Amino acid sequence: GENVEQHPSTLSVQEGDSAVIKCTYSDSASNYFPWYKQELGKRPQLIIDIRSNVGEKKDQRIAVTLNKTAKHFSLHITETQPEDSAVYFCAASIRGNLIFGKGTKLSVKP
Amino acid sequence: ETGVTQTPRHLVMGMTNKKSLKCEQHLGHNAMYWYKQSAKKPLELMFVYNFKEQTENNSVPSRFSPECPNSSHLFLHLHTLQPEDSALYLCASSQRGLAGNEDEQYFGPGTRLTVT
């Protein structure tokens, strides 16, 4: 069935380094790809999203790239800070609903 | 505050109990969702309501029964649950276009459910 694969499951970086999380999806009809951040004990919150008509989108230290041919998209966080520590989920829209990846636990060490 | 509230925030229930989870959105959205979040698993979509009509039931066992009386309220009725149903249940809402295209989903804080 349709699914979204997300890697890595855990990621530890030093403060100031960059972090990259990658996702692949199976349904070529998917056209919306959001990224959510979930801090411990809190609700998931959208941090950035991209639609299939663009290949890249940037918002300050966060960027997302999309390769529709290869069916993969990535989240890039530059100049990481301790407050970036959280679980990050990618998702792809399939028939109008979101299918989520398993999440990446990002730890930023000061 | 994202505008999506859920009650109760925590719930402990026995396998023979009946309880209900409530979700309310104050964002004027036309679609609402129930998700289950278990440890080391992705967010699992359970039910989707679009303009108060259920449009998705993701093979969820009948011991979970959703209800959407209007576009602002969503309930999840629980009965004869199993211990493996213990999880965080998240409600979300979004505004869908006429073509059903997806947009940002706003999540509630969730209900932490423990089945004993």
Side-chain angles (χ1 to χ4, degrees):
Chain A
E2 299 103 346
N3 69 323
V4 175
E5 297 287 336
Q6 182 172 347
H7 299 280
S9 56
T10 59
L11 179 60
S12 182
V13 300
Q14 208 66 35
E15 182 177 1
D17 288 350
S18 295
V20 180
I21 303 171
K22 300 183 179 182
C23 289
T24 59
Y25 59 98
S26 57
D27 190 340
S28 56
S30 295
N31 59 6
Y32 175 65
F33 307 91
W35 286 88
Y36 284 81
K37 175 184 180 182
Q38 187 175 27
E39 297 177 60
L40 190 63
K42 295 193 175 181
R43 71 191 77 195
Q45 291 196 295
L46 182 78
I47 54 171
I48 195 167
D49 55 12
I50 191 168
R51 297 188 188 273
S52 58
N53 56 347
V54 298
E56 186 174 357
K57 184 176 178 181
K58 191 173 181 181
D59 183 3
Q60 298 182 340
R61 296 186 296 109
I62 295 173
V64 57
T65 58
L66 172 64
N67 183 328
K68 283 217 75 180
T69 304
K71 289 191 282 187
H72 67 70
F73 57 112
S74 301
L75 177 72
H76 304 253
I77 305 174
T78 59
E79 301 171 31
T80 53
Q81 300 167 3
E83 52 264 38
D84 294 330
S85 296
V87 179
Y88 292 81
F89 294 95
C90 65
S93 67
I94 297 173
R95 297 192 313 274
N97 297 320
L98 293 182
I99 304 299
F100 285 84
K102 288 189 175 182
T104 296
K105 184 177 181 180
L106 174 64
S107 300
V108 180
K109 300 184 187 304
Chain B
E1 182 58 52
T2 65
V4 181
T5 58
Q6 288 186 244
T7 54
R9 296 293 306 276
H10 300 272
L11 178 62
V12 179
M13 59 186 288
M15 289 189 283
T16 58
N17 290 160
K18 289 184 181 182
K19 297 286 184 183
S20 295
L21 310 185
K22 179 183 176 181
C23 176
E24 185 173 358
Q25 59 98 358
H26 311 273
L27 301 169
H29 289 161
N30 57 18
M32 296 186 77
Y33 314 80
W34 279 117
Y35 288 91
K36 176 183 179 183
Q37 187 174 34
S38 308
K40 299 183 180 179
K41 282 190 172 184
L43 282 159
E44 299 173 69
L45 180 64
M46 300 175 71
F47 300 104
V48 179
Y49 278 83
N50 199 5
F51 293 100
K52 298 189 301 175
E53 298 297 321
Q54 188 180 129
T55 58
E56 193 87 17
N57 175 341
N58 231 14
S59 303
V60 180
S62 59
R63 58 186 183 269
F64 295 91
S65 175
E67 179 190 359
C68 188
N70 55 60
S71 57
S72 299
H73 294 84
L74 186 64
F75 295 89
L76 188 62
H77 304 298
L78 317 170
H79 65 97
T80 59
L81 294 191
Q82 305 298 311
E84 59 264 29
D85 296 322
S86 298
L88 181 68
Y89 288 84
L90 289 161
C91 172
S93 71
S94 72
Q95 183 65 25
R96 288 201 179 192
L98 289 175
N101 53 293
E102 190 51 77
D103 206 344
E104 177 180 359
Q105 290 189 15
Y106 292 79
F107 284 87
T111 295
R112 174 68 63 183
L113 174 67
T114 304
V115 182
T116 60

